[in-house]
Amino acid sequence: MGTCVSTSRSTCSSKSNGEPAPPPCLGIGLCGQKRTKRTFSDRLVTFQHLPSIPNRVFTNGKSRTSCIFTQQGRKGINQDAMIVWEDFMFEDVTFCGVFDGHGPHGHLVARKVRDALPVKLQSLLNSSQSRQNGPGQTCFMGNSKKSDVGDLDKDGSVEDKLNSLWREAFLKSYKAMDKELKSHPNLDCFCSGSTAITIVKQGSNLFMGYIGDSRAIMGSKDSNDSMVAVQLTVDLKPDLPREAERIKRCKGRVFALQDEPEVPRVWLPFDDAPGLAMARAFGDFCLKEYGVISIPEFSHRTLTDKDQFIVLASDGVWDVLSNDEVVEIVSSAPTRASAARILVDSAAREWKLKYPTSKMDDCAVVCLFLDGKMDSESDYDEQGFSSATLDQSNHSGNAAESDDGQKSEPCLQRNFTVRSAEENDSYGRLAVEVDGDGETVNAEDQSWSGLEGVTRVNSLVQLPRFSEERPDP
């Protein structure tokens, strides 16, 4: 499901008969003119329509420009979810996301967010753009480039409006998503939640919104034409100064347990629970009054010809593989369609090497290739996949492990970015020091938490026990 290709086409038309031209468009992929052609509004969908939408892939498989793969760990049901949605709002617009659930109902939360968040983003973006341009005058150009609108507004305000439009849509859709989870009648999110790493690629523009500790990186070529890793997001862990300051200001507590000193967690002020290993998440409403938020970090990046691919993955991958290793694995995969699977297999081997006594975490990977090219169908089938038929096991994400003896798969040497057990013994209980003047932390200061692997038993340590009377914080 979700791997068929739509044959419908839509284009932007322009006035050529002397009529007044509409206001400059913001370049997002819609012509809001007469209903004789399919528009962005026609593509808005409801939750019930999701299974029949073309170019929407959410199980192990591939699309025209990407491949995705997830594998269950050793902790129970797979709580990771993922999605690639091509022609998201219009042609040349692609939505990608990875969601890592935690808690008793984390798998349900992750899947709910996977399905509902993109629809909310669509709806809010359409509403915002309609308000800005007025009825009947909305025009998004799917293939617009900066040079296309440069003559219209040389002071950069068009690009600023585009960026502002996407920022507002991301912020409001995340807020609406968390609000829906809180009021959901059949889904208990009090001590369950999910991370989210979501990106939208529109032409040469890349818009990103994310919460939690899932991560996005990009493989790009440097001046010597060598592949390098570029980290696009920051792992929003509780010990980042600005995150820890907010949590403490809200009476929450941040510290790590003695047996896992490199995993800072968020705790209630009156109980050593639940021990959430991230500072932002959907759900987890037991901690929302104590500094955990669902407001996403938003960023925009202009892609260049040097940029080759983007990898989104849950922390089951990043706990054992560095950014550089991930780029090496994806770029050296025998076929692009197999890159996500090979990356997950490599992470599984690293878990066995580094943490032989620990339970492997779930892994989910999305690989988006920026030149829009993929392998032939025959190459893909040779890797054991089918773009038309997906197993039920793939739908649940409980894919079987691959044969480690495949010669075509890159085999990593064990890396030592993770402290050994002996080194961990030298660390006591980890208390987070907040830098008073460190409200804004640059990427170099924050990347350390993402590049070092950690042993994590669970994203939550234990569920809180609430009595009728809570002691004062």
Side-chain angles (χ1 to χ4, degrees), residues 71 90 94-95 138 183 199 209 211 216 260 276 280 330 342 375 402 404-405 435:
Q71 179 172 304
F90 210 71
T94 301
F95 176 94
T138 304
S183 60
I199 67 170
I211 55 178
E260 46 175 23
L276 182 64
R280 306 190 195 190
V330 173
I342 290 175
D375 310 302
S402 66
D404 289 348
D435 187 359

Side-chain angles (χ1 to χ4, degrees), residues 129-148:
Q129 182 62 30
S130 298
R131 285 197 310 270
Q132 289 190 16
N133 287 1
Q137 294 183 340
T138 304
C139 182
F140 300 89
M141 294 186 300
N143 295 313
S144 67
K145 298 180 181 179
K146 188 174 180 180
S147 58
D148 298 333

Side-chain angles (χ1 to χ4, degrees), residues 321-385:
L321 294 174
S322 69
N323 294 349
D324 292 332
E325 289 172 327
V326 168
V327 167
E328 178 186 356
I329 293 168
V330 173
S331 61
S332 61
T335 61
R336 287 187 170 187
S338 65
R341 180 193 178 202
I342 290 175
L343 180 56
V344 171
D345 290 342
S346 299
R349 287 195 294 271
E350 287 296 286
W351 272 96
K352 294 176 182 178
L353 284 173
K354 294 178 178 178
Y355 309 119
T357 61
S358 298
K359 294 180 179 180
M360 173 185 165
D361 199 0
D362 305 325
C363 296
V365 170
V366 171
C367 297
L368 176 66
F369 296 94
L370 300 177
D371 60 5
K373 299 177 181 178
M374 287 293 285
D375 310 302
S376 66
E377 195 72 19
S378 59
D379 290 339
Y380 190 62
D381 291 337
E382 287 176 2
Q383 294 298 318
F385 295 99

Side-chain angles (χ1 to χ4, degrees), residues 239-246 433-442 445-446:
D239 60 338
L240 289 181
R242 57 179 175 175
E243 303 297 314
E245 183 178 6
R246 182 190 66 249
E433 297 293 336
V434 179
D435 187 359
D437 57 356
E439 181 64 23
T440 302
V441 183
N442 60 40
D445 294 334
Q446 295 175 335

Side-chain angles (χ1 to χ4, degrees), residues 200-207 218 232 300-310 368 370:
V200 174
K201 177 186 176 295
Q202 182 265 318
S204 61
N205 291 300
L206 184 67
F207 304 95
M218 181 168 62
L232 300 176
H300 167 246
R301 185 184 185 94
T302 301
L303 300 172
T304 69
D305 294 338
K306 294 286 188 179
D307 302 328
Q308 304 298 304
F309 56 82
I310 295 172
L368 176 66
L370 300 177

Side-chain angles (χ1 to χ4, degrees), residues 213-227:
D213 57 1
S214 298
R215 190 190 308 169
I217 68 167
M218 181 168 62
S220 186
K221 291 187 177 180
D222 60 14
S223 57
N224 297 323
D225 211 32
S226 300
M227 290 297 299

